[in-house]
Amino acid sequence: MRIRPIAEGDLDELQKIARETGVGFTSLPDNREFLSDKIAAAIAAFEQRTPPDRRNYFFVLEDEASGELAGCCAIEGQVGREVPFYHYRLGTLAHSSVQLDLHRTIDTLFLSSDHTGDAEVASLFLRPGFRGKERAHQRNGALLSMMRWLFMAEFRDQFPDKVLAEMRGVFDERGKSPFWECLGSHFFPLDFDEADRLTGLGQKSFIGELMPKFPIYTPFLSDEARACIGQVHRDTRPALAMLKQEGLRWEGYIDIFDGGPTVEAYIDDVRAVRKSRRCRVEIRASDEPPPARPRWLAASTTMADFRAAWVSHGPDEEGTLTLGEAEAKRLGVVAGDSLRVLDTEETS
């Protein structure tokens, strides 16, 4: 399994992935024209033909043996520069009466664009056939999640100070969002799927135009809607756990549609960014058997031909990483090249 930038020939496979993502996966709508444009924009980003603040780096996880795409992930250079980027910010208002000696604090939701200009890690999806206990030894989800930090560490000057990740919120057994049903549906003459589709297509201006500009008092929401605030979809829990391990935290921002949390951190504080390092490549004639549970992640240091994959072991004390021929080919490197490596199980 290896990570590489998406290519023009991946459109059919990407559309298959888009159909499998399910409700609430805003960033990957099942729209062929949109997906084709996304691929073209990603290619331009990797070739550095667009400004850093407008780049959307889109990666795919490829099964080398079959050529099948197992999943995808992305990094948005900066959010909110071209299209408004909205959240609800959870806040508190205090009310008191001196005469009655009463004091109340009430949770509120404020419409905000506080994250404008931050980078975003997004669109992480691993296809069902590449998950599960029989695939656990491959650590496909960890490969998709962690390689983004190596990319950001290697090309640090192309990114701002902070990074965020929007997490999919709670949906019931009918595929409905209690948060949307209680709140958003009253302000948008659309069902959730249509509003979600428009947002995924980048048509977000209606949010600022139709949502109330005043704080929303959460006691007016239903119990079911309040219980969704800051909670994630069951399929999103593993991704959230990995982000938390890297140091991203929830600071009170939620998605305006489903109430899912937005986690964030300063890029330089992310564990994998701090712990990754460059090493020099040497090649040996044969490959060692892969470990039962890969630990070392390696990524190339060229943007246009970026590759990332698990390797059998880490560098030696002198900073040299010796690879087998198949590993080197998978990563697109030769002797004397550099790789950025990470011990994914090293603690902070």
Side-chain angles (χ1 to χ4, degrees):
M1 308 298 291
R2 68 172 180 181
I3 297 284
R4 62 169 173 80
I6 199 164
E8 288 184 2
D10 294 325
L11 179 57
D12 289 341
E13 284 282 294
L14 182 61
Q15 190 162 22
K16 289 180 184 178
I17 293 174
R19 290 169 179 163
E20 294 175 2
T21 56
V23 65
F25 202 92
T26 307
S27 61
L28 206 61
D30 180 14
N31 180 294
R32 192 170 182 84
E33 182 179 358
F34 176 85
L35 296 176
S36 179
D37 290 343
K38 180 181 280 286
I39 291 174
I43 292 172
F46 284 109
E47 293 177 352
Q48 303 183 65
R49 291 188 281 110
T50 50
D53 62 340
R54 297 187 180 183
R55 292 179 189 168
N56 185 354
Y57 306 97
F58 198 92
F59 308 85
V60 291
L61 175 62
E62 181 181 49
D63 185 331
E64 275 191 298
S66 66
E68 186 178 9
L69 297 189
C72 62
C73 63
I75 307 171
E76 190 80 25
Q78 291 188 32
V79 300
R81 292 304 190 192
E82 295 182 280
V83 180
F85 192 77
Y86 293 109
H87 284 111
Y88 277 135
R89 174 170 52 83
L90 189 63
T92 302
L93 285 178
H95 300 269
S96 62
S97 169
V98 176
Q99 184 177 18
L100 299 178
D101 192 26
L102 295 176
H103 182 84
R104 289 290 305 276
T105 56
I106 300 175
D107 289 336
T108 56
L109 299 175
F110 291 86
L111 189 66
S112 84
S113 299
D114 293 350
H115 287 100
T116 298
D118 293 347
E120 180 185 15
V121 288
S123 303
L124 191 151
F125 182 76
L126 182 62
R127 301 178 76 175
F130 293 88
R131 308 175 195 167
K133 293 181 179 178
E134 67 279 5
R135 295 279 187 168
H137 68 284
Q138 293 180 322
R139 302 189 68 195
N140 290 331
L143 175 56
L144 273 170
S145 181
M146 290 184 173
M147 55 73 45
R148 297 176 296 185
W149 305 123
L150 269 67
F151 185 88
M152 297 177 81
E154 181 61 34
F155 306 106
R156 182 66 189 87
D157 61 339
Q158 304 295 307
F159 294 97
D161 291 336
K162 294 185 71 175
V163 63
L164 64 93
E166 291 187 298
M167 314 308 294
R168 183 161 32 164
V170 173
F171 292 81
D172 62 22
E173 63 279 357
R174 301 171 298 141
K176 301 291 184 181
S177 164
F179 189 83
W180 168 267
E181 296 295 322
C182 181
L183 183 55
S185 63
H186 295 290
F187 297 99
F188 300 110
L190 310 166
D191 60 23
F192 179 93
D193 290 342
E194 179 63 11
D196 193 54
R197 185 186 72 84
L198 290 173
T199 301
L201 294 174
Q203 301 175 24
K204 300 181 182 181
S205 61
F206 70 94
I207 298 172
E209 294 164 353
L210 297 177
M211 287 302 290
K213 306 300 188 296
F214 300 102
I216 296 169
Y217 286 63
T218 61
F220 289 141
L221 304 180
S222 67
D223 291 342
E224 293 79 8
R226 288 202 304 275
C228 292
I229 294 175
Q231 301 301 309
V232 297
H233 189 281
R234 60 181 178 276
D235 292 344
T236 307
R237 291 169 188 164
L240 178 60
M242 282 189 283
L243 291 171
K244 285 184 173 181
Q245 287 176 353
E246 296 303 324
L248 278 74
R249 294 290 180 265
W250 183 46
E251 300 290 349
Y253 291 89
I254 64 171
D255 184 84
I256 64 169
F257 288 166
D258 60 29
T262 292
V263 293
E264 58 188 282
Y266 285 96
I267 293 175
D268 293 331
D269 290 340
V270 174
R271 183 194 67 90
V273 173
R274 291 187 291 104
K275 293 292 185 178
S276 69
R277 55 194 173 104
R278 269 195 172 203
C279 62
R280 187 173 58 85
V281 173
E282 291 293 339
I283 310 294
R284 60 175 176 267
S286 60
D287 286 88
E288 294 180 1
R293 187 177 189 276
R295 173 172 180 165
W296 284 89
L297 180 61
S300 59
T301 57
T302 57
M303 183 177 289
D305 299 317
F306 182 81
R307 298 289 186 274
W310 296 112
V311 291
S312 56
H313 59 273
D316 60 24
E317 293 181 358
E318 297 179 354
T320 299
L321 179 64
T322 303
L323 301 176
E325 293 175 343
E327 287 182 318
K329 181 180 178 181
R330 185 172 302 123
L331 288 162
V333 294
V334 297
D337 283 349
S338 294
L339 284 173
R340 181 167 289 275
V341 297
L342 174 70
D343 180 353
T344 61
E345 296 185 3
E346 183 181 4
T347 58
S348 298

